[in-house]
Amino acid sequence: MMKMTLRNLWIPLCALLMLNACKKDSVLDSKQIALNLVLENPSGLTDAKLSEVKVTFKEINTGKETLSTNVDQQKMNITLGEGSYDVSLAGQITYTEQGKSKTKKVAGLKQGMVLTGAQHSESLALFIVEEGEGFVIQEIFFTGTQTPENKLYLGDKYFVIYNNSAQTLYADGLVIGQSDFLTTQKRDYTPNVMSEAVAVGSVIKVPGSGTQYPVLPGKSIVIADDAINHKEYNPVSIDLRKADFEIFNEDADDIDNPQVKNMENVYGRMVLHNRGFTSYVLAKFPNGTDDFLTHQKYDYSYNLQVGGVVYPMDQEEYKIPNSWIIDAVNLSVQSDFQWIVTDPSLDMGWTFCGKLSADKTRFGKSVRRKVLSTTTEGRVILKDTNNSSLDFEAEAKPYLMQ
């Protein structure tokens, strides 16, 4: 009789798992649904016409992608297997403005579209892609580092904000908001204001009167968690003493470098999630901080399910209107991603460090915006198509570790 070992068990188990997976895919593919997708142009455009349209349907459970370019009179008819889909569109739109014809990039995104039954109709709202020509988030080093003894080291995280324009801009008043919602936890929040604003759990702001902190074209500023020489405590970390600003909380056990200007703490306490479950926006308040704190409160509710029991929950936070937002970056982790927590017009993709939630290889890595081109004068232009999946290099080597 053959002795049963883990290896003996593993071979038939793998075969069984593969067979079940194939059966699942086969069942999904065997149930076909006729989808009628109506494309809604951005409002207010005259004589708008779409061209070079590509629509990708990604089945969430299997990861299978289906690409279609067959658009007729703002409609797309396609047959897909039963399932849940993320639908993304990229193309161009030509319209008339003040008697002149203009052509710009256009996009659209719908998350979690469920296809069942024989037929299904759905609409996809489109928006013009406004490619960045001002301040952009160049890098977020949110993972931190580990010591040679494999202990978690805190405090050496940072943001890099870049002037992607050809003019001198002022960093005074720039705001960084951390999303209140997690990209790894999709819930039905009521009221849903995502098409109008981003819910934030913490907000920090660059000080200044308006013209105190100029940033030249192609230059950047560094905002450090703690602006100290972290190499003194962890040899594989970073020296952040030359940071332009630092995040300091007086009511916490925090380090303050008096030679580096502190960011203003507008709301909450900014703590960068070291697995990247939160997202970040760069914004400016048109009427100042007091106006934001007075008029942008966001009270919402949702249902929390634990062990089959539903608990109604109420939350009080703040929101930053989308019209105030200059740039946005959605972060997540490959194994746990569920949804994008900004309106797609701000960011219709996401980037990451680490493929698994507890992936220790993420430490010492960042997300960095890709270079689009370099001018004849040597100024670097960074890629900004409002899609972090395309614009950022995931699991990059941090800028300050080069």
Side-chain angles (χ1 to χ4, degrees), residues 284-348:
K284 274 205 171 183
F285 297 155
N287 300 313
T289 299
D290 291 341
D291 178 79
F292 166 75
L293 293 174
T294 301
H295 298 292
Q296 298 303 325
K297 292 181 180 179
Y298 176 37
D299 299 337
Y300 63 88
S301 61
Y302 64 95
N303 289 329
L304 176 65
Q305 295 188 22
V306 180
V309 180
V310 177
Y311 300 93
M313 304 293 290
D314 294 310
Q315 190 79 19
E316 297 178 358
E317 297 290 355
Y318 280 84
K319 56 185 171 64
I320 300 178
N322 293 343
S323 59
W324 298 2
I325 293 174
I326 300 167
D327 193 22
V329 179
N330 278 278
L331 301 177
S332 195
V333 63
Q334 284 190 320
S335 62
D336 291 34
F337 172 77
Q338 291 190 20
W339 67 330
I340 291 166
V341 296
T342 65
D343 188 73
S345 62
L346 300 175
D347 186 12
M348 60 182 296

Side-chain angles (χ1 to χ4, degrees), residues 353-377:
C353 286
K355 296 176 176 58
L356 301 173
S357 181
D359 192 346
K360 293 185 177 181
T361 64
R362 72 183 186 276
F363 294 114
K365 295 178 181 177
S366 72
V367 295
R368 293 185 60 191
R369 194 175 290 274
K370 298 175 183 176
V371 173
L372 177 64
S373 61
T374 304
T375 67
T376 54
E377 297 83 14

Side-chain angles (χ1 to χ4, degrees), residues 96-251:
T96 302
E97 185 176 87
Q98 296 180 346
K100 295 183 179 180
S101 178
K102 289 189 174 183
T103 300
K104 289 190 175 182
K105 292 180 180 179
V106 70
L109 176 69
K110 183 178 287 290
Q111 300 181 87
M113 181 183 71
V114 179
L115 293 186
T116 58
Q119 294 182 332
H120 187 90
S121 295
E122 196 82 33
S123 62
L124 179 63
L126 307 183
F127 54 88
I128 291 175
V129 178
E130 299 291 353
E131 297 181 293
E133 295 181 351
F135 280 118
V136 296
I137 299 172
Q138 182 179 9
E139 181 181 18
I140 308 176
F141 179 50
F142 61 88
T143 61
T145 54
Q146 282 187 309
T147 67
E149 296 77 29
N150 293 323
K151 293 182 179 179
L152 182 63
Y153 183 81
L154 303 175
D156 54 0
K157 305 169 186 178
Y158 63 80
F159 298 94
V160 180
I161 309 300
Y162 185 82
N163 180 357
N164 212 29
S165 76
Q167 294 82 36
T168 296
L169 301 176
Y170 293 90
D172 306 50
L174 277 179
V175 166
I176 296 177
Q178 184 180 50
S179 68
D180 181 44
F181 302 157
L182 303 181
T183 58
T184 57
Q185 196 172 65
K186 188 175 182 180
R187 289 182 171 137
D188 186 13
Y189 297 103
T190 304
N192 185 342
V193 298
M194 201 172 292
S195 63
E196 306 167 5
V198 175
V200 288
S202 59
V203 179
I204 56 176
K205 178 183 174 184
V206 176
S209 59
T211 56
Q212 287 182 248
Y213 302 107
V215 183
L216 298 176
K219 300 299 180 181
S220 60
I221 60 171
V222 175
I223 300 170
D225 190 353
D226 290 324
I228 64 173
N229 183 6
H230 295 277
K231 291 185 176 182
E232 293 181 359
Y233 308 95
N234 180 13
V236 299
S237 188
I238 313 168
D239 186 351
L240 289 175
R241 288 175 296 177
K242 293 183 179 180
D244 299 278
F245 302 95
E246 74 171 343
I247 304 169
F248 176 67
N249 295 278
E250 292 183 357
D251 59 345

